[in-house]
Amino acid sequence: MRLFLIAITILISACATAQDSKSVMTLSEYLGYVKRFHPIVKQANLIINESEANLMKARGAFDPKLEVDYDRKKFKNSEYYDKLNTSFKIPTWYGVELKGNFEEHTGDFLNPEDTVPLDGLYSVGVSVSVARGLLINKRMAMLKQAKLFINQVEADRQLLVNNILYEATISYLNWLQAYNEKRVFEDFLANAEMRFRGIKKSYEVGERPAIDTLEARITLNNRKFNLEKSRIKFIKAALESSNYLWLGDNIPIEINEGSVPNTHTFETIDTILNTSSLDVENVDLATHPKLLSLDYKFQGLTIEKRLKLNNLLPKIDLQYNFLSESPDIARSFNTASYKSGLNISFPLFLRKERGDLKLARLKMQDVQFEIQSTRVTLRNKIKAIRQELESFILQNDFTNIIVDDYNTLLAAEERKFFLGESSLFLVNTRESKLIDAKLKAISVQNEFLKAKASLFNVLAVSNAEMN
């Protein structure tokens, strides 16, 4: 009896030593690979680059512009006209455009109004929109929206990366659960093998009936069957976790057979996901990336509404240009020589403009409703996860007590069995109950870890600790 128990202890110690020699991949290392190399994370970074390119494009509307217009007509040895117009325009933030121009026109059949001095005519002036387009116009709106869009995309990127990390964490936890279950079946397979050999020897010396060897062999084969199922489950979980592992140059990698998850993840997950310092009850949702994204979207629609509202005003463009044929003399530009113009345009019914304004207001209302709904949904999800975590803590305590009690019952039943006061059936029954209790404890612990991951995902924690 004593030798039998010593042998079991040595076998279990040998199994534990073999597991310690395996390569352990922690959750922090795993998520570090995901955050650095996963294609979707890289794709999220491309969205930032795209928004910056759009901002550059919007700023291009305010770039100075050089224009040259040359027109000539010659027929039957007659030069009808030879006209050159060059201009340099500088758009400004408000509806004001600075302009410099040079005109040189010659020809036999030149339109009288195009007649200019022989050395050409210079002009400098300004064009102003005094109603529509003064305080806001399409160029201004596009630039403001592009700046807001960068902030919105950054918040959306954080949500996208956070979601990938959450999915990868769930995959890792499934791998960890499969590994823990496999270890349970490995331990109890060793017990079943040792028990079968001991009972077989007892039968050979006449101390045990043959039926006990049959029952021990049935139990042994059941343990082998369960271990094989758990082994396949572990391999599948490892392959699913490998879906999130990549190296540079978009090279996918697989978790090798010698790698195992960290069995101490329960103690470190708060540090890894940075959920230990969170005050869940008083969390500030105003800084949540989802609400920030919606707020930036709402601000962009507000700019669009202002633009549509401005379009209800009449279009009144004023132009005034000082003229001179000797631009090197500054005082030659004066009010005595000028060119001015006035352009007024106003639709009578404004149906298009009023329709655009109504659509802009409806879009704003839609985003407002989404903001309110999202805020309530996030708050309720956080409360539900908090209750879930509190419940899992209690469940985990209960399952640990149950496992300890079943361990005590099994040890007592084994002592009674080897003293001849119990049966192998009762020992196997106690052991099966213990296995079920350990599997339930593993499941409860895994659900607790997944709840932590869900909290990480709902709060969109951006500064998780990843190697």
Side-chain angles (χ1 to χ4, degrees):
M1 170 66 180
R2 182 178 300 173
L3 293 175
F4 177 64
L5 294 177
I6 292 174
I8 290 179
T9 303
I10 293 173
L11 182 61
I12 293 175
S13 299
C15 292
T17 303
Q19 290 169 358
D20 293 339
S21 65
K22 293 182 178 180
S23 174
V24 177
M25 177 178 285
T26 64
L27 178 59
S28 177
E29 294 171 340
Y30 178 78
L31 294 181
Y33 278 105
V34 176
K35 191 172 184 179
R36 185 174 180 183
F37 298 115
H38 197 281
I40 293 183
V41 176
K42 293 181 178 180
Q43 184 181 12
N45 294 330
L46 290 179
I47 298 176
I48 296 292
N49 297 335
E50 182 182 353
S51 65
E52 291 174 349
N54 285 328
L55 177 59
M56 182 184 295
K57 179 180 177 181
R59 284 175 173 162
F62 294 90
D63 289 345
K65 183 184 297 184
L66 179 64
E67 295 180 352
V68 177
D69 183 13
Y70 179 71
D71 199 8
R72 184 181 186 186
K73 181 178 179 181
K74 190 173 183 180
F75 182 67
K76 292 183 178 181
N77 297 323
S78 296
E79 185 180 79
Y80 278 61
Y81 54 80
D82 191 327
K83 297 190 292 185
L84 173 65
N85 288 309
T86 62
S87 62
F88 182 71
K89 300 178 181 178
I90 304 176
T92 61
W93 178 248
Y94 292 102
V96 178
E97 185 176 76
L98 305 178
K99 181 179 179 180
N101 190 65
F102 171 73
E103 300 176 67
E104 188 178 48
H105 303 158
T106 59
D108 298 333
F109 301 98
L110 194 66
N111 193 320
E113 69 177 15
D114 291 332
T115 303
V116 296
L118 292 177
D119 293 333
L121 182 65
Y122 297 86
S123 65
V124 292
V126 63
S127 174
V128 182
S129 298
V130 297
R132 180 190 300 184
L134 177 62
L135 299 179
I136 186 170
N137 52 52
K138 190 174 182 179
R139 291 181 309 189
M140 296 165 59
M142 287 180 62
L143 183 55
K144 287 182 178 180
Q145 288 176 327
K147 291 180 178 178
L148 289 172
F149 187 64
I150 287 184
N151 296 328
Q152 181 182 347
V153 166
E154 178 59 36
D156 291 338
R157 173 192 172 277
Q158 185 176 335
L159 289 173
L160 182 59
V161 172
N162 181 269
N163 192 57
I164 288 296
L165 294 176
Y166 166 73
E167 293 177 358
T169 301
I170 295 299
S171 182
Y172 180 91
L173 295 178
N174 289 335
W175 181 38
L176 174 62
Q177 181 179 3
Y179 176 65
N180 286 331
E181 291 176 353
K182 186 170 77 74
R183 289 177 63 196
V184 169
F185 288 117
E186 287 174 344
D187 292 342
F188 284 98
L189 174 61
N191 291 345
E193 288 176 340
M194 187 64 68
R195 187 180 296 122
F196 174 71
R197 286 195 293 267
I199 291 175
K200 186 177 180 181
K201 288 181 180 179
S202 297
Y203 161 72
E204 291 172 351
V205 298
E207 294 181 358
R208 293 288 178 188
I211 193 67
D212 282 354
T213 61
L214 180 61
E215 186 167 352
R217 190 172 69 180
I218 292 173
T219 301
L220 175 61
N221 288 327
N222 276 329
R223 300 290 182 265
K224 288 181 179 180
F225 173 76
N226 291 331
L227 176 59
E228 181 62 20
K229 286 177 61 179
S230 67
R231 187 184 70 84
I232 295 300
K233 181 179 178 181
F234 172 70
I235 292 175
K236 289 176 63 178
L239 291 174
E240 289 178 2
S241 297
S242 298
N243 291 336
Y244 297 92
L245 291 180
W246 298 73
L247 288 179
D249 299 325
N250 297 327
I251 300 175
I253 59 176
E254 288 186 6
I255 298 174
N256 58 50
E257 295 181 359
S259 297
V260 296
N262 183 18
T263 55
H264 300 289
T265 303
F266 184 85
E267 292 83 7
T268 60
I269 191 167
D270 275 327
T271 303
I272 295 172
L273 298 182
N274 196 34
T275 54
S276 57
S277 59
L278 292 175
D279 185 3
V280 179
E281 295 185 359
N282 302 309
V283 64
D284 183 15
L285 292 180
T287 59
H288 192 280
K290 179 63 176 177
L291 291 175
L292 286 176
S293 175
L294 290 173
D295 182 63
Y296 289 129
K297 183 178 180 181
F298 182 79
Q299 292 181 46
L301 291 175
T302 302
I303 294 172
E304 184 179 347
K305 188 200 78 170
R306 286 181 56 198
L307 178 62
K308 302 304 181 185
L309 187 63
N310 184 262
N311 288 341
L312 295 176
L313 298 175
K315 184 178 180 181
I316 305 176
D317 294 333
L318 295 176
Q319 295 186 28
Y320 191 92
N321 298 277
F322 296 96
L323 303 178
S324 173
E325 56 182 318
S326 52
D328 51 331
I329 304 175
R331 62 184 180 180
S332 66
F333 292 99
N334 55 64
T335 56
S337 301
Y338 68 89
K339 179 182 178 182
S340 63
L342 173 64
N343 182 17
I344 300 177
S345 174
F346 185 67
L348 295 180
F349 298 110
L350 293 172
R351 283 181 289 198
K352 178 181 181 299
E353 290 75 10
R354 287 187 289 115
D356 288 340
L357 178 60
K358 186 174 182 180
L359 289 174
R361 285 172 173 167
L362 290 175
K363 289 179 182 178
M364 290 180 63
Q365 289 181 357
D366 182 68
V367 175
Q368 281 182 321
F369 292 145
E370 188 176 358
I371 290 174
Q372 294 172 359
S373 174
T374 301
R375 183 179 290 110
V376 173
T377 300
L378 288 173
R379 182 70 66 184
N380 289 337
K381 282 184 177 180
I382 293 171
K383 288 181 179 179
I385 293 175
R386 182 167 59 85
Q387 295 292 334
E388 193 175 13
L389 288 172
E390 292 175 357
S391 175
F392 279 135
I393 291 174
L394 292 177
Q395 292 179 44
N396 190 61
D397 292 338
F398 293 148
T399 54
N400 288 336
I401 293 173
I402 292 172
V403 168
D404 291 339
D405 289 344
Y406 272 124
N407 265 318
T408 303
L409 283 175
L410 177 59
E413 203 65 49
E414 284 179 334
R415 286 195 296 269
K416 289 171 63 178
F417 173 71
F418 286 105
L419 292 175
E421 298 177 359
S422 181
S423 65
L424 184 60
F425 173 78
L426 287 176
V427 173
N428 289 335
T429 301
R430 299 292 190 196
E431 191 176 68
S432 296
K433 293 291 185 180
L434 176 59
I435 292 174
D436 291 341
K438 284 196 171 187
L439 294 178
K440 182 176 284 294
I442 291 172
S443 176
V444 169
Q445 188 180 86
N446 189 261
E447 291 298 324
F448 176 82
L449 296 177
K450 287 183 178 179
K452 285 285 187 180
S454 296
L455 180 63
F456 165 81
N457 187 38
V458 170
L459 294 177
V461 180
S462 60
N463 52 344
E465 180 182 292
M466 300 162 194
N467 295 332

